[in-house]
Amino acid sequence: MNPLKIKIYLSCHKDCYVPNHPLIFPIQVGSAISEKRLPIALHDDEGDNISSKNKMYCELTAQYWAWKNDTDADCYGFWHYRRYMNFSDKELPHNPFEDVELDYLDDDSLKLLNLDESVMSEKISQYDVIATTPVNLKKLNKNLKSNRHQYESTPYQYKEDLDVMLEIIKEKYPDYYDIANWYLDKSPVGYYCNMFIMKKELFREYSEWLFTILFEHEKRRDYTNYDVTGYRVSGYLGERLFAIWYLHLQKTGNYKTCELQRTLFKNVERAVDVKPAFQSNNVAIALAVNDYFVPYLSVTLASIVENSSSKRNYDILILTTDISQEKKFTLQNLVSSHNNFSLRFVNPAKKVAHFSPHLHGHFGHIETYYRLILPDLLPNYNKLLYLDSDMVVNADVSDLFDEDVNGFLLEACHDADTAGLYNGWQPDRKKYSDEVLKLKEPYQYFQAGTILFNLEEFRKTYSIEEMLDFASKEKWLLQDQDVLNKLCEGRVKYVDMAWNVMCDYNGVRIKEIIALAPQWLNKMYMDSRKNPKIIHYAGPQKPWLEPEMDFAQEFWQVAKNTPFYEVMLYRMSCCAAATTYSKKINEIGRNLKSRKYLLKWIIGEGRFGKIVRKIWGKFRRK
């Protein structure tokens, strides 16, 4: 007996990861109205199609295309780019919507779901229809009374659409009318997402039935003034119609059916193999940032561009998980007029998905740990300059990139600030450094804002698992900076501190902290301030919050030429207003507290208090 020919169409509307699987066929839905055609997929606007109606029909435009244009399979299935079925023998943990939530769509997930071709083929061959596990309405929302109530109580779905759908079923398919009403009014579960796998004959029968009803519904209803979400009406009704058709099929008792769990992948981005942007003179630079911090990063980028050399090529990689597309375009426009600049975005989330560091303080963000995964994240790079995103660059960074780091793990600048803390300004710092960090030479501690990484040497020395495991063992005071200092001890090359000049902090860093550092470190820092190649606004005090702080003028001189200048001004004004308001509230609070104690004394202990208590006592007795 020949094995069944199975085609599972995967509805996609954007570029995403699609596994190389013999049973899975990606198809771009809404191709006719999309600005970009996906090269990885089939397109639903070829042949007989309703691709242009995708905003109404959603994933059903893929089903229509397969019904009208593909006749050579024995079984047809329909999944979504982020929703697959679970073919494993065990039930996996799920949310109230019955979705098995998984962080990433990757090889590990495919193994977990047992999406092996032979396993899937054997399972599919045993059934006429495979649906997804239905949703228990009461578990989803205890206030839901029925599927009808769920539909009608949803803000963007209309009772009239459901009523017209039932009218059409009663007129054209009366055999389905009773079960349609039962499903809407009495069924304890709901079937959603338009996902299934069917034998060919049933698929064609179902499609004929489904689209006859939906096309007739279009004729009888006017969707013109529906909002964007409500305009998906045909897709929403399709979910209800599948349930009605499926339950009617089961009622006949002539077909074998089963239900499998449905997944929800949180991240479906394709892994990008990042390679150097230029074949020669490539100066690789990485910066890590989240969406909120983009305006301040733009200052760092603009200053790099301003001090660049036309003879070098600058390959800038932004490490991020959440920058909006609009901000990405804006950042790319910062360098677009320079042919020797490339700016790309790299998502490191998967590399740190199971990493749980102790985040704390003003630098308590996961982005700070991206430095640790650079050797693994960028396997095609052997050397990389990492810069923090709160800097102003006053020199050509290619000069730093050209430093020879052979035999070293990295190159960085000494940290006079930490040396002063160690020498007594912060009483517990010496104990922490000696007993927890256990550095052999604490005055060789480096500041991690500017680092030239020898990635090739790192890969030979540590695996990403070893580094992340070490990073998660302790509540490191300065987080990944402490981790790098410990792991790289004895294999660090030091460069002129002018490449990482930390600004003064509240008039304390220079006069009180760095003043306690060894005299050679103090001199090194003071000399670096005379001609700083990179100014680093390290610490909680930032020029975009306090425009009169140390080196703030240099920041704003660059900032005013960036596209985020007004954003920075607006945020600063809001922060100033909030600070003023907070002071007023505290002042009022102090006054109220004084009045409260005065009133308490008057009522409780003074002569007036005795009168009040006497009257209150008489009142209670009455």
Side-chain angles (χ1 to χ4, degrees):
M1 182 178 177
N2 293 327
L4 293 175
K5 185 173 183 180
I6 301 166
K7 284 187 175 181
I8 298 175
Y9 284 100
L10 194 71
S11 296
C12 307
H13 68 273
K14 64 179 182 178
D15 194 18
C16 60
Y17 172 71
V18 176
N20 183 16
H21 195 289
L23 305 185
I24 295 176
F25 297 82
I27 180 168
Q28 182 179 358
V29 293
S31 296
I33 54 176
S34 176
E35 295 179 358
K36 179 182 178 182
R37 293 179 79 79
L38 303 179
I40 62 167
L42 297 166
H43 301 94
D44 71 345
D45 63 344
E46 298 169 353
D48 189 351
N49 69 87
I50 55 170
S51 178
S52 62
K53 295 183 178 184
N54 177 255
K55 290 183 178 180
M56 286 168 43
Y57 282 79
C58 306
E59 63 277 345
L60 294 181
T61 59
Q63 182 181 329
Y64 184 92
W65 182 89
W67 173 42
K68 292 296 185 179
N69 299 282
D70 186 355
T71 60
D72 67 343
D74 301 304
C75 291
Y76 292 89
F78 294 89
W79 295 355
H80 302 186
Y81 71 104
R82 63 190 305 168
R83 283 192 163 99
Y84 290 25
M85 287 182 178
N86 175 22
F87 277 79
S88 69
D89 293 330
K90 60 181 180 180
E91 181 179 338
L92 300 175
H94 53 83
N95 62 24
F97 196 67
E98 295 294 331
D99 283 331
V100 177
E101 294 185 350
L102 298 173
D103 288 328
Y104 294 95
L105 173 53
D106 54 19
D107 292 340
D108 291 338
S109 296
L110 299 181
K111 289 178 182 177
L112 178 67
L113 301 174
N114 205 11
L115 298 186
D116 176 80
E117 179 186 5
S118 59
V119 171
M120 292 174 65
S121 297
E122 182 180 356
K123 185 87 170 181
I124 293 170
S125 66
Q126 296 174 26
Y127 297 95
D128 297 295
V129 179
I130 297 177
T132 57
T133 305
V135 177
N136 185 303
L137 297 177
K138 287 298 181 184
K139 288 183 179 179
L140 183 65
N141 184 335
K142 64 181 182 180
N143 295 319
L144 286 179
K145 300 174 182 177
S146 64
N147 279 295
R148 188 190 297 271
H149 179 234
Q150 184 277 329
Y151 193 95
E152 294 178 355
S153 61
T154 303
Y156 46 80
Q157 293 173 348
Y158 304 98
K159 173 184 182 297
E160 293 77 9
D161 287 323
L162 213 55
D163 292 340
V164 170
M165 182 192 80
L166 287 170
E167 289 175 8
I168 296 169
I169 291 175
K170 188 174 183 180
E171 292 173 16
K172 293 182 175 294
Y173 302 101
D175 290 347
Y176 289 80
Y177 186 67
D178 287 343
I179 204 155
N181 280 298
W182 179 88
Y183 173 70
L184 292 174
D185 294 326
K186 296 183 179 180
S187 174
V189 300
Y191 291 86
Y192 302 110
C193 296
N194 289 316
M195 288 175 61
F196 59 81
I197 302 172
M198 291 185 197
K199 294 285 174 57
K200 179 179 182 177
E201 295 76 15
L202 286 174
F203 167 64
R204 302 194 68 77
E205 176 189 313
Y206 169 60
S207 296
E208 177 74 38
W209 182 87
L210 172 72
F211 289 107
T212 297
I213 296 172
L214 292 179
F215 290 166
E216 182 63 27
H217 195 278
E218 269 192 81
K219 295 177 184 177
R220 301 188 187 187
R221 293 285 294 161
D222 182 4
Y223 313 142
T224 304
N225 294 321
Y226 282 25
D227 63 19
V228 173
T229 306
Y231 199 61
R232 299 172 184 169
V233 55
S234 300
Y236 296 138
L237 292 177
E239 292 176 293
R240 280 75 191 170
L241 288 169
F242 170 77
I244 293 166
W245 183 86
Y246 177 63
L247 293 171
H248 183 271
L249 185 85
Q250 287 183 320
K251 189 177 179 181
T252 66
N254 299 325
Y255 300 94
K256 290 185 67 177
T257 65
C258 83
E259 293 158 1
L260 299 180
Q261 282 186 298
R262 181 180 58 242
T263 67
L264 176 62
F265 295 107
K266 297 177 183 178
N267 190 310
V268 294
E269 291 184 9
R270 288 192 298 118
V272 179
D273 186 22
V274 184
K275 296 180 179 179
F278 303 96
Q279 293 183 352
S280 61
N281 290 326
N282 196 75
V283 180
I285 307 165
L287 305 98
V289 70
N290 58 27
D291 186 78
Y292 181 83
F293 213 82
V294 166
Y296 317 119
L297 165 72
S298 74
V299 176
T300 305
L301 289 177
S303 64
I304 292 173
V305 174
E306 186 178 335
N307 292 281
S308 62
S309 168
S310 60
K311 297 179 181 180
R312 302 302 298 272
N313 296 317
Y314 300 84
D315 181 7
I316 299 176
L317 303 172
I318 308 297
L319 313 180
T320 185
T321 60
D322 67 346
I323 295 181
S324 69
Q325 198 61 48
E326 182 181 0
K327 287 179 182 173
K328 286 181 179 180
F329 289 145
T330 305
L331 288 176
Q332 286 174 325
N333 285 335
L334 271 175
V335 304
S336 60
S337 61
H338 300 266
N339 294 329
N340 62 331
F341 269 83
S342 167
L343 191 148
R344 293 174 290 171
F345 301 90
V346 181
N347 188 339
K350 186 178 177 183
K351 296 291 183 182
V352 293
H354 304 294
F355 174 49
S356 301
H358 300 281
L359 299 174
H360 56 90
H362 66 274
F363 37 57
H365 303 282
I366 190 63
E367 285 80 12
T368 190
Y369 279 95
Y370 290 167
R371 281 175 280 221
L372 300 183
I373 63 172
L374 288 171
D376 192 69
L377 182 67
L378 303 171
N380 298 307
Y381 290 77
N382 291 329
K383 192 178 182 182
L384 180 82
L385 176 61
Y386 177 90
L387 298 175
D388 272 352
S389 301
D390 56 349
M391 291 178 156
V392 167
V393 176
N394 296 323
D396 183 2
V397 292
S398 69
D399 293 340
L400 178 56
F401 184 83
D402 289 340
E403 288 278 329
D404 184 4
V405 287
N406 286 330
F408 298 95
L409 288 172
L410 56 82
E411 181 177 62
C413 302
H414 283 94
D415 189 344
D417 182 71
T418 297
L421 296 174
Y422 178 83
N423 273 0
W425 197 86
Q426 202 172 68
D428 295 336
R429 182 59 65 89
K430 188 177 190 305
K431 181 179 180 182
Y432 166 79
S433 183
D434 292 344
E435 298 180 11
V436 180
L437 200 52
K438 298 179 181 178
L439 292 177
K440 297 175 183 176
E441 299 183 57
Y443 299 123
Q444 296 302 314
Y445 189 96
F446 61 84
Q447 216 284 337
T450 299
I451 296 180
L452 181 60
F453 280 101
N454 184 341
L455 299 181
E456 184 178 23
E457 195 66 26
F458 252 103
R459 285 189 281 267
K460 295 176 184 177
T461 308
Y462 298 112
S463 68
I464 184 175
E465 290 78 16
E466 287 174 322
M467 288 198 288
L468 294 182
D469 181 61
F470 183 79
S472 61
K473 281 184 176 179
E474 293 280 352
K475 186 177 181 179
W476 303 105
L477 202 58
L478 297 182
Q479 304 191 119
D480 72 311
Q481 182 169 281
D482 282 351
V483 172
L484 285 170
N485 269 276
K486 182 61 180 177
L487 293 178
C488 300
E489 189 173 22
R491 300 192 64 184
V492 177
K493 182 179 179 181
Y494 294 90
V495 69
D496 186 348
M497 200 183 287
W499 286 106
N500 188 358
V501 180
M502 290 194 292
C503 63
D504 195 9
Y505 170 62
N506 276 340
V508 171
R509 180 170 277 156
I510 295 176
K511 291 183 180 179
E512 298 183 22
I513 303 175
I514 294 179
L516 295 177
Q519 53 81 27
W520 58 273
L521 263 178
N522 183 291
K523 183 179 186 304
M524 193 183 294
Y525 173 78
M526 296 309 294
D527 287 346
S528 72
R529 286 180 59 87
K530 296 174 184 177
N531 186 26
K533 295 179 180 179
I534 294 180
I535 299 170
H536 186 187
Y537 302 97
Q541 191 179 30
K542 304 294 185 184
W544 52 85
L545 298 177
E546 300 180 43
E548 294 181 302
M549 68 171 285
D550 188 34
F551 286 127
Q553 185 176 351
E554 286 81 352
F555 175 86
W556 286 104
Q557 198 168 3
V558 180
K560 65 185 179 183
N561 295 318
T562 70
F564 295 100
Y565 179 57
E566 290 80 7
V567 173
M568 289 183 269
L569 289 177
Y570 172 74
R571 289 182 181 178
M572 185 170 62
S573 65
C574 288
C575 182
T579 302
T580 302
Y581 178 75
S582 178
K583 288 179 180 178
K584 284 288 185 184
I585 291 297
N586 288 335
E587 183 181 344
I588 292 170
R590 286 193 295 271
N591 292 336
L592 285 175
K593 191 174 182 181
S594 300
R595 292 169 187 168
K596 176 182 175 183
Y597 285 124
L598 178 62
L599 187 62
K600 183 178 179 182
W601 181 84
I602 292 174
I603 295 178
E605 299 179 17
R607 184 180 176 187
F608 182 71
K610 293 178 182 178
I611 298 172
V612 169
R613 287 197 300 276
K614 187 175 182 180
I615 295 173
W616 177 246
K618 290 182 178 180
F619 177 79
R620 287 189 66 186
R621 284 193 293 273
K622 289 181 180 179

